[in-house]
Structure formats: C-alpha cells, structure tokens
C-alpha cells in the first residue's frame, strides 16, 4: 500500500478540522478515537467517520475537497492549533483532501485496534489521539505506549513502546524504544505492550 498520501490527508483533517477548531474554542488539542474514526474531546463535537466529517447536524464529505471548503460547510475555521507545537504534517487549508479507500480503512482500523489494546493494557488510563504526531497513546511510569499510522521511521501502521530513558537489547530495535508493524503483531497489540512493560 502507498500509505503516505492518505495518511498525510487524514493527519491534516485531524489537525486543521478538529484539533485547531477545538483549541481555539477550549484551549485543548487532544482528540479521541471513536467508532469509525476519531473526534474532539471538548467544546463542539466534531467527528470523523470514514471519509466524512460529522458536525452533529450534518455529514460533510471530505474527499476531493479542500480543508477550507469542508470547514466552511461545517461552520468552522480550518487551521492548526496556532503556537502549540512544531513539527506537524505541514498541511495547508487550501490543499485538496485525497484518500485511498483501502488505506483509509486500514488507518482507521489501526487507531481502533490501538485504542482497544491500550484500554486493555491500562484500564485506568484514557488513550489520547495527538494531532502533532498523529498517534493514539498513553504514558505509564515514564514509558509511552501507542499505535502510529506510520511516519518517517516506519511507513506503515505500527505499535510502539517508548521509554523516557533509552534501553538496549534485542527487544529495543527502534531509536525511541521498540516498534512492531501491526501486520506482524496480527492483533496481539496488548501482548506487545505487556512484553515491553515486562522487559523494562
């Protein structure tokens, strides 16, 4: 699969159409995984479900339109959470949203599987979908656990265990800790998190 174009477009949706408007209204940038996609956590509820943006009163198509056009129909302003972080996807509001249907489905499924695994692994914590790195994650005892849709390190969805202090050994194969493609884990994401915790 060619992950990058759809991942970048979806990342832009998270940043420009959910996190940005939420931050301007409430000061928060964190998002949450929901059935079929992801959503805001505070203020006006905005929700991505497949290739649509749900506003509570309308279902706005995403694919083939600019972020500015989608925002206008949804009654929001497209734009990143200004001044909060650097290093986001660099998507501009005037770009056109382009999705490959199979890649989109796989990315959203990865978030759903990751959210479920994190809740099984640490039931007392609430997973957060962060708009900067676009991963669903928790931090527990100075270790980050999460699922990424892919990035410059690994160009496909993967689960990771990232200790604040670097570790060495056969399990710790990534610069930031341990990472395994979801296709290799075959659904055993929770077990991977547990193995990471045991090896710490």
């Amino acid at each position: 699969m060619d992950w990058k174009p759809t991942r970048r477009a979806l990342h832009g949706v998270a940043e420009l159409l959910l996190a940005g408007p939420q931050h301007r209204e409430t000061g928060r940038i964190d998002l949450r995984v929901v059935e079929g996609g992801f959503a805001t956590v505070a203020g006006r509820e905005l929700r991505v479900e497949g290739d649509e943006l749900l506003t509570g009163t309308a279902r706005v198509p995403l694919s083939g339109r600019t972020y500015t056009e989608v925002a206008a129909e949804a009654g929001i302003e497209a734009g990143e959470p200004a001044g909060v972080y650097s290093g986001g996807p660099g998507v501009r509001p005037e770009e056109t949203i382009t999705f490959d249907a199979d890649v989109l489905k796989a990315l959203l499924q990865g978030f759903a599987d990751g959210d479920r695994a994190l809740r099984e692994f640490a039931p007392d914590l609430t997973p957060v979908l962060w708009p900067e790195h676009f991963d669903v994650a928790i931090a527990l005892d100075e270790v980050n656990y999460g699922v990424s849709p892919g990035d410059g390190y690994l160009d496909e969805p993967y689960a990771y265990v990232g200790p604040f202090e670097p570790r060495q050994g056969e399990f710790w194969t990534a610069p930031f800790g341990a990472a395994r493609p979801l296709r290799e884990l075959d659904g055993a994401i929770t077990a991977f998190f547990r193995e990471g915790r045991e090896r710490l």
Side-chain angles (χ1 to χ4, degrees), residues 88-104:
V91 178
R92 308 278 25 110
E94 62 273 13
E95 292 184 36
T96 299
I97 301 167
T98 305
F99 293 144
D100 175 283
D102 291 338
V103 175
L104 178 64

Side-chain angles (χ1 to χ4, degrees), residues 27-42:
R28 296 180 64 173
I29 64 168
D30 49 320
L31 304 174
R32 61 194 170 102
V33 174
V34 296
E35 185 174 353
F38 49 87
T40 52
V41 298

Side-chain angles (χ1 to χ4, degrees), residues 36-52:
F38 49 87
T40 52
V41 298
R44 178 181 179 185
E45 181 169 349
L46 299 167
R47 176 183 180 123
V48 170
E49 189 175 292
D51 63 355
E52 294 180 312

Side-chain angles (χ1 to χ4, degrees), residues 21-196:
Q22 176 181 262
H23 181 257
R24 287 186 284 278
E25 183 182 354
T26 69
R28 296 180 64 173
I29 64 168
D30 49 320
L31 304 174
R32 61 194 170 102
V33 174
V34 296
E35 185 174 353
F38 49 87
T40 52
V41 298
R44 178 181 179 185
E45 181 169 349
L46 299 167
R47 176 183 180 123
V48 170
E49 189 175 292
D51 63 355
E52 294 180 312
L53 177 67
L54 281 61
T55 67
T57 58
R59 302 179 75 98
V60 183
L62 292 166
S63 191
R65 311 172 77 199
T66 68
Y67 298 90
T68 301
E69 290 169 343
V70 172
E73 186 172 338
I76 57 176
E77 177 189 353
E80 64 190 29
V84 179
Y85 55 75
S86 60
V91 178
R92 308 278 25 110
E94 62 273 13
E95 292 184 36
T96 299
I97 301 167
T98 305
F99 293 144
D100 175 283
D102 291 338
V103 175
L104 178 64
K105 182 178 179 181
L107 292 175
L108 294 177
Q109 187 62 55
F111 282 139
D113 292 345
D115 185 80
R116 187 180 315 110
L118 289 166
R119 292 177 186 275
E120 290 174 358
F121 172 66
D124 294 335
L125 298 179
T126 301
V128 173
L129 179 64
W130 293 105
E132 178 184 358
H133 300 295
F134 203 38
D135 58 344
V136 58
I138 60 170
L140 175 64
D141 297 331
E142 296 193 341
V143 182
N144 293 317
Y145 299 87
V147 167
S148 167
D151 51 29
Y153 169 71
L154 185 59
D155 188 38
E156 64 178 296
Y158 66 89
Y160 65 85
V161 179
F164 292 9
E165 294 293 327
R167 299 293 200 276
Q168 292 185 344
E170 61 179 1
F171 184 78
W172 309 105
T173 57
F176 49 82
R180 303 289 185 275
L182 294 189
R183 62 178 171 78
E184 291 183 6
L185 292 175
D186 193 27
I189 304 172
T190 306
F192 170 67
F193 292 151
R194 288 175 177 155
E195 180 180 1

